[in-house]
Amino acid sequence: MKRCMFMAFALMLGLPVMAAEGDALKDQSSMKVDFGGDLRLRYDFTDGLPDGRESKGHTDYARVRTRLWGKMTVQKLELFARVANEFRYYNSREKDKGKQRFPDVTFIDNLYLKYSDLFDFVDVKVGRQEMAFGGKRIISDGTGGDGSRSNYFDAVRLTFNFDKDRTLDAFAIYMKSNDWLPTLGRTHDAKSKGNKSYDYETSGYDQDEYGVGLYYQDRSNKEFGWDAYYVYKVEEAAHSYDHGSFIGEWNELERNNDDSFTTHTFGVRLLPKFTKTLSGEAELAAQFGDEGHLAMMAYGGLTYSRKDWAWQPKFTAAVQYLSGDEDGWAGDSAWHPVFNRETGVGETVAPMFEKYAYNNFLYPHIKLDLVPAENQKLSFQTGPMFAPTTEKDGNEDCGNFRGYFAQVKYSIAIGKMIDSPWLKGLGMAFQGEYMSKGNYFMDGEDDDAFFGRMELTYKF
């Protein structure tokens, strides 16, 4: 019944674009076709990354992602398609060397129809697309099972443009646990070591996910912007999950009508500007769900920025909190990430949580953003991390302190510094992270963690 209601809502959202398509195709004289693509080369180095309360060993590997896209525009109607592929070359660990090798699997990364200015104020987008709102803490990545390989949503989205400063987005999302569109090449999961088995897991939790929501943004007052949102979501697991058990303990039961978990998430985001140099951001969300589920997410920060100084420094002091308890993601008070599965704070932090589902997390931190030169960016971030509610698991040495975290990022748009139309899409980036683990980790699993990344990108 819930899925039927969802599909009916999605159909209602999609009907306007069907009528719009017919009107647009009456005149073919304004048709325009564009093509392009991008290449991303990464080399990642890790050592001692957390795995829950334990630690992983050393890895280093190259990642190669290629994407090609095409777009056809007829007046206000746009058809966009993009295919992608990512394969890897592992130097270590030995057991990973058979995984995700070339050619791996080519998949449909985006495929949507968009009609702009329907009734002069509505944009309609139907199909596989990327979405992100506000601080990207609620909706930003729909494919939590494959890292940065993709971040699409299968969705219908209506954007109501009341004026240039006020918009309302209404959306309906349905994410299968595995990619349901045709792919080309090998398919496998994390357990197959590169052998043919299953499609890539997209939802990240071996479950189908669907929902509807509203996101309102208001920037009419230049001194005080604000957002408000509501998201209804259903997590329909392929295996029944006991939300009162410790994370990872699955009950191997066949799918049934009761094998789902529903949440309602309400939130507000405030963006006050106190002076020309001092601004703030505050976001607070409450989440209600089945089985007495009650959780919350909060973020607050102050930013001091001086664009008139050398390197244009921007200094931020902030704190982030997500509720949870000793049962990890399965706990009654554990924050569910709605449709946000990004790495979040950092590559060395995210593996503490099952599929990047941050919860039971408190992170006061500072951040400094700099512009050393034109087309260059440099940033630093650091702070202690805590698990406010943590069970000791019978080990008195286990506590609430997750550890200290530090991160540095540097990027340079090389192509913009070179007078060549062929190289204008060339860029390079570096990222380094360090985590000094605290007493949250078990004895023998608290070695320091490191992450390094070199990246080269080219867009054409």
Side-chain angles (χ1 to χ4, degrees):
M1 177 61 71
K2 291 179 180 178
R3 278 189 290 181
C4 291
M5 294 173 59
F6 166 82
M7 295 305 295
F9 184 79
L11 181 61
M12 287 189 292
L13 292 184
L15 283 175
V17 80
M18 299 177 188
E21 180 180 0
D23 294 338
L25 292 176
K26 291 178 181 178
D27 183 4
Q28 301 290 330
S29 60
S30 59
M31 181 181 293
K32 182 181 179 181
V33 179
D34 294 314
F35 295 95
D38 62 79
L39 171 67
R40 186 183 71 184
L41 307 177
R42 281 181 171 176
Y43 197 89
D44 288 357
F45 165 92
T46 77
D47 191 66
L49 291 191
D51 183 10
R53 284 188 171 183
E54 300 178 356
S55 295
K56 300 179 181 179
H58 165 80
T59 68
D60 63 278
Y61 55 92
R63 301 175 58 175
V64 183
R65 189 184 71 179
T66 57
R67 300 191 299 189
L68 294 173
W69 60 266
K71 180 173 68 173
M72 182 176 69
T73 306
V74 181
Q75 294 186 343
K76 296 181 179 181
L77 182 67
E78 173 188 317
L79 173 63
F80 182 88
R82 184 171 67 198
V83 295
N85 174 281
E86 184 182 76
F87 52 94
R88 301 184 180 188
Y89 294 101
Y90 279 85
N91 186 46
S92 63
R93 299 174 299 181
E94 186 67 28
K95 69 177 184 178
D96 291 330
K97 290 188 175 182
K99 289 174 53 179
Q100 297 170 246
R101 297 171 299 179
F102 179 83
D104 205 64
V105 57
T106 299
F107 64 100
I108 299 173
D109 187 46
N110 267 224
L111 179 63
Y112 63 79
L113 273 172
K114 179 181 178 182
Y115 191 85
S116 301
D117 297 326
L118 181 66
F119 308 125
D120 295 326
F121 80 108
V122 183
D123 298 332
V124 184
K125 187 183 286 189
V126 181
R128 180 163 291 184
Q129 57 190 281
E130 296 178 0
M131 290 194 297
F133 296 108
K136 301 173 69 174
R137 301 181 186 98
I138 300 296
I139 296 176
S140 62
D141 185 351
T143 56
D146 64 359
S148 60
R149 172 178 172 266
S150 66
N151 64 350
Y152 60 77
F153 291 94
D154 294 329
V156 177
R157 175 181 177 183
L158 271 66
T159 302
F160 298 86
N161 301 290
F162 302 116
D163 54 44
K164 65 183 181 66
D165 295 318
R166 297 181 301 134
T167 62
L168 173 66
D169 282 277
F171 52 86
I173 297 171
Y174 188 81
M175 296 299 297
K176 292 287 292 181
S177 60
N178 292 309
D179 192 358
W180 58 276
L181 289 178
T183 61
L184 178 65
R186 298 183 306 158
T187 58
H188 55 83
D189 63 8
K191 299 178 182 178
S192 67
K193 298 182 180 180
N195 300 318
K196 186 174 182 180
S197 59
Y198 306 106
D199 290 337
Y200 269 97
E201 188 183 6
T202 54
S203 75
Y205 301 127
D206 192 21
Q207 66 187 18
D208 298 340
E209 302 180 346
Y210 54 93
V212 296
L214 299 170
Y215 198 103
Y216 177 77
Q217 301 178 76
D218 192 318
R219 301 294 182 271
S220 57
N221 185 340
K222 303 304 179 184
E223 306 302 318
F224 192 86
W226 62 280
D227 303 345
Y229 52 83
Y230 164 73
V231 181
Y232 165 83
K233 180 186 177 185
V234 178
E235 300 167 356
E236 193 170 77
H239 303 287
S240 178
Y241 193 73
D242 181 1
H243 281 260
S245 64
F246 188 76
I247 185 168
E249 295 180 0
W250 289 86
N251 294 325
E252 299 292 335
L253 300 176
E254 295 182 359
R255 184 192 296 266
N256 56 68
N257 292 332
D258 296 326
D259 191 10
S260 64
F261 189 75
T262 301
T263 56
H264 302 265
T265 303
F266 302 82
V268 61
R269 177 171 176 252
L270 308 177
L271 300 168
K273 187 174 182 180
F274 305 108
T275 67
K276 290 183 178 180
T277 58
L278 184 64
S279 61
E281 178 183 0
E283 185 167 1
L284 181 65
Q287 189 175 82
F288 308 90
D290 293 341
E291 304 174 19
H293 177 79
L294 176 61
M296 68 171 295
M297 179 272 292
Y299 173 89
L302 287 173
T303 297
Y304 182 75
S305 177
R306 294 302 300 253
K307 292 185 178 181
D308 56 331
W309 289 3
W311 290 31
Q312 302 177 34
K314 184 169 69 172
F315 179 81
T316 300
V319 61
Q320 180 180 0
Y321 170 75
L322 300 109
S323 66
D325 56 33
E326 66 273 11
D327 290 329
W329 177 64
D332 291 337
S333 64
W335 174 259
H336 284 225
V338 194
F339 289 106
N340 169 28
R341 298 299 165 58
E342 291 190 331
T343 304
V345 175
E347 300 285 345
T348 57
V349 179
M352 281 190 288
F353 309 95
E354 178 75 7
K355 298 299 183 183
Y356 302 170
Y358 281 71
N359 66 85
N360 192 19
F361 184 65
L362 178 64
Y363 178 48
H365 58 281
I366 56 175
K367 185 178 180 182
L368 177 63
D369 296 302
L370 301 169
V371 182
E374 188 176 2
N375 301 314
Q376 298 182 41
K377 295 180 180 179
L378 178 64
S379 68
F380 303 91
Q381 180 183 175
T382 187
M385 300 176 296
F386 303 91
T389 306
T390 300
E391 186 180 71
K392 295 183 179 296
D393 290 339
N395 187 340
E396 292 301 322
D397 293 330
C398 289
N400 301 81
F401 181 47
R402 293 181 182 269
Y404 287 105
F405 173 72
Q407 178 193 76
V408 57
K409 290 183 176 181
Y410 172 75
S411 63
I412 177 171
I414 301 174
K416 294 182 179 180
M417 304 172 65
I418 302 175
D419 186 19
S420 170
W422 300 102
L423 297 177
K424 65 179 181 179
L426 185 63
M428 185 168 56
F430 301 91
Q431 181 174 334
E433 296 181 4
Y434 166 73
M435 179 180 173
S436 175
K437 296 175 184 172
N439 60 13
Y440 174 83
F441 292 87
M442 296 184 292
D443 290 341
E445 303 288 345
D446 53 358
D447 292 338
D448 294 346
F450 300 89
F451 173 84
R453 169 175 290 165
M454 297 178 289
E455 177 178 292
L456 188 67
T457 55
Y458 180 66
K459 298 180 180 180
F460 57 91

